[in-house]
Amino acid sequence: MDLPHKPTKTQITAARVSAVILLAFVSLGSVDGKKPCPFSSYLEFPAISCRKHTAVLTDFGGVGDGVTSNTNAFREAMEHLSTLAVDGGAQLIVPPGKWLTGSFNLTSHFTLFVHKDAQILASQDESEWPLVEVLPSYGRGRDAPGGRFSSLIFGTNLTDVVITGNNGTIDGQGSYWWDKFHRNELNVTRPYMIEIMYSDQIQISNLTLVNSPSWFVHPIYSRNVIIQGLTILAPIDSPNTDGIDPDSCINTRIEDCFIVSGDDCIAVKSGWDQYGIQFGMPTEDLLIRRLTCISPDSAGIALGSEMSGGIRNVRIENVTAINTQSAVRIKTAIGRGGYVKDIFVRQMFLSTMKYVFWMTGNYKSHPDEKFDPKALPEIKNINYRDVVAENVTYSARLDGISGDPFTDICISNVKIGLTAKPKKLQWNCTNVEGYSSDVVPPPCAPLAKEVVSSDGCPFPEDRLPIEDVKLMTCVTKNHAP
């Protein structure tokens, strides 16, 4: 469906109302369109699998006073419940209360359910955070060359794991770590909030995540991942608080999320320079839809900059970005190698943006000086269609690489309303090639060639396998007092 040539005030208001409604649905965590009765003895929730056994954190000595450490309680619960994986699996209920904890590891065939009146609070005691090896596709930590702290909720080599709730809260209490970052006191990389590695069949859903020490949700080297219904909140000046970072993952679905971040709301990755090239695991078959983002200094969705294993077949639709630096940004550099190709974006509403379209070929961050300057990235077949934007400073900044242009860029049916004091040069394009149709303001000369199809830029009609994964309706006791 084509969007109108100029958005009316009614349409803009409707888009904003839609974003609020989306957030309301995220918060409700409804199941099959039905809101569970708050006075029911049981709660229903959607999951990829239901479990035979149920335990409560208090069964393992948990104390929900916000002061007592529950690190051992979580770890003992995981150790016990892991024995039930072969007998129908188990779920651990985090009941109402404030549950202070350090890092703990999940197990397979397992569900962590956070009650709506529960808060998991991340400890600020570094002794409760074990160290883990640097990621092989990165070659070093992101904050420092050495190791890194384990994530608050961590798992590796897992199958069939659900992290969910009826909008329960996980609070990373990140200010301790942000202060250390700003004072250059980090010898190892800050913990992430949730990291799942080398795993299959993962669901993370219907939670409120706040104040992560660094990245919030980081599935890596995994496949068949569903992330939905998350509210992610961090101060807009907090360092590196990416919302969701699918990293060298295959067959992933991210939908119905509301993110306010100090960095990219979603950052798609696949390894860093020579380490990512050697590891060689791409991110591919990724669907992102119904995202609402606020990030004044970063992107709604970034592809890269760590993309050396490749990013391919990404489908992005129904994105609302408000007071965000750019919409869908590609970040790469000489030495990255890899590729970003077959990217399809449609139906974006953008308000108060520095850039609508932004591609960067000189993102200079490198893990070390050993990168290969002959390792050039391939950026190809990038498609944007059906975009309405208002209060924009620059329509586009598209910077390819000399001798390695970004090619087959397609932009169609785009209406950009400018700020009261827009930049005179609206389209700044170097080392790019492509097509356009029905774009206002008119694009730069390298994109002036007319799109062949009367329908504008393409968007695939087939479905990704992850789209056809259906969730079951599971039940747990309502532990509300």
Side-chain angles (χ1 to χ4, degrees):
M1 179 180 68
D2 288 343
L3 297 176
H5 284 263
K6 184 177 181 180
T8 65
K9 290 184 178 180
T10 300
Q11 289 161 340
I12 292 171
T13 301
R16 289 171 172 163
V17 170
S18 297
V20 174
I21 293 172
L22 168 60
L23 177 57
F25 278 117
V26 167
S27 301
L28 288 173
S30 59
V31 181
D32 295 333
K34 299 180 292 183
K35 180 182 176 183
C37 174
F39 304 107
S40 172
S41 298
Y42 293 90
L43 297 173
E44 294 180 340
F45 63 94
I48 54 175
S49 300
C50 301
R51 313 302 177 191
K52 181 178 178 180
H53 304 278
T54 299
V56 183
L57 187 60
T58 51
D59 297 339
F60 303 91
V63 178
D65 61 4
V67 177
T68 303
S69 174
N70 292 279
T71 304
N72 288 335
F74 273 107
R75 293 175 182 174
E76 289 176 11
M78 294 301 114
E79 183 177 0
H80 172 74
L81 297 177
S82 66
T83 65
L84 302 174
V86 296
D87 184 33
Q91 58 189 15
L92 177 66
I93 309 302
V94 182
K98 295 183 178 180
W99 309 91
L100 183 69
T101 182
S103 174
F104 61 92
N105 295 353
L106 302 182
T107 187
S108 291
H109 306 291
F110 172 78
T111 296
L112 178 68
F113 185 92
V114 185
H115 190 278
K116 69 179 180 64
D117 296 319
Q119 291 184 337
I120 296 177
L121 302 176
S123 172
Q124 296 182 328
D125 179 353
E126 291 188 23
S127 69
E128 296 200 282
W129 299 85
L131 294 178
V132 294
E133 295 292 327
V134 298
L135 295 165
S137 61
Y138 283 73
R140 56 158 285 168
R142 295 296 285 117
D143 292 329
R148 58 197 192 102
F149 288 105
S150 179
S151 297
L152 177 64
I153 299 174
F154 182 72
T156 185
N157 293 292
L158 302 179
T159 301
D160 181 20
V161 172
V162 177
I163 306 169
T164 192
N166 55 343
N167 207 32
T169 298
I170 304 175
D171 186 344
Q173 300 202 109
S175 59
Y176 168 85
W177 303 95
W178 305 334
D179 290 344
K180 292 197 71 171
F181 175 85
H182 287 305
R183 294 194 299 263
N184 294 317
E185 293 177 356
L186 291 167
N187 297 316
V188 295
T189 292
R190 287 167 286 163
Y192 304 146
M193 181 173 283
I194 300 172
E195 182 176 66
I196 306 294
M197 301 174 57
Y198 300 109
S199 297
D200 186 16
Q201 301 173 52
I202 304 300
Q203 175 191 338
I204 304 170
S205 65
N206 298 331
L207 295 165
T208 295
L209 312 179
V210 300
N211 298 332
S212 178
S214 185
W215 301 350
F216 276 86
V217 179
H218 186 220
I220 182 168
Y221 317 143
S222 296
R223 60 179 59 240
N224 301 317
V225 179
I226 296 175
I227 299 172
Q228 60 183 194
L230 298 184
T231 300
I232 297 177
L233 305 173
I236 58 175
D237 60 350
S238 54
N240 309 119
T241 49
D242 297 13
I244 304 168
D245 287 21
D247 196 342
S248 293
C249 286
I250 298 172
N251 208 31
T252 302
R253 182 169 111 205
I254 301 172
E255 59 191 1
D256 300 315
C257 292
F258 178 90
I259 302 174
V260 180
S261 173
D263 210 316
D264 301 320
C265 290
I266 295 177
V268 184
K269 301 177 181 292
S270 67
W272 202 4
D273 285 5
Q274 69 272 26
Y275 303 104
I277 294 171
Q278 182 177 6
F279 195 82
M281 185 173 180
T283 288
E284 58 187 15
D285 298 341
L286 168 63
L287 172 65
I288 301 171
R289 60 189 178 190
R290 299 188 298 275
L291 167 71
T292 300
C293 166
I294 299 173
S295 183
D297 295 321
S298 293
I301 300 169
L303 305 172
S305 73
E306 307 92 338
M307 39 62 67
S308 301
I311 297 172
R312 177 175 54 208
N313 197 16
V314 179
R315 304 171 186 192
I316 300 167
E317 58 184 336
N318 296 320
V319 172
T320 298
I322 302 168
N323 192 21
T324 297
Q325 189 179 50
S326 61
V328 177
R329 182 184 180 190
I330 295 174
K331 299 189 287 188
T332 189
I334 293 172
R336 286 290 192 270
Y339 52 82
V340 177
K341 60 184 179 181
D342 304 333
I343 310 300
F344 304 93
V345 182
R346 69 178 177 186
Q347 297 171 357
M348 293 194 296
F349 174 79
L350 314 172
S351 179
T352 311
M353 311 289 290
K354 185 175 182 180
Y355 303 102
V356 174
F357 305 106
W358 196 5
M359 299 182 187
T360 305
N362 61 347
Y363 207 85
K364 297 186 183 301
S365 175
H366 297 283
D368 52 43
E369 298 303 317
K370 299 177 182 179
F371 68 89
D372 180 2
K374 296 181 181 179
L376 300 178
E378 180 186 20
I379 311 300
K380 184 176 182 179
N381 193 23
I382 314 298
N383 301 275
Y384 305 91
R385 60 174 295 162
D386 306 340
V387 179
V388 174
E390 63 170 11
N391 199 29
V392 170
T393 304
Y394 297 89
S395 294
R397 180 176 176 180
L398 308 178
D399 298 323
I401 297 172
S402 178
D404 181 36
F406 300 171
T407 62
D408 295 330
I409 299 167
C410 185
I411 301 175
S412 69
N413 194 27
V414 174
K415 309 299 175 289
I416 300 173
L418 303 180
T419 184
K421 296 182 179 180
K423 295 296 181 179
K424 184 176 181 179
L425 180 62
Q426 277 297 302
W427 289 78
N428 190 344
C429 305
T430 56
N431 299 301
V432 297
E433 302 170 3
Y435 313 85
S436 63
S437 65
D438 195 18
V439 177
V440 178
C444 51
L447 302 181
K449 189 183 299 183
E450 189 76 12
V451 177
V452 174
S453 172
S454 60
D455 294 331
C457 302
F459 195 96
E461 296 182 0
D462 65 318
R463 294 173 62 85
L464 297 177
I466 196 66
E467 293 186 72
D468 293 323
V469 174
K470 304 298 182 184
L471 302 185
M472 306 170 67
T473 299
C474 303
V475 177
T476 185
K477 185 177 179 181
N478 186 353
H479 291 269

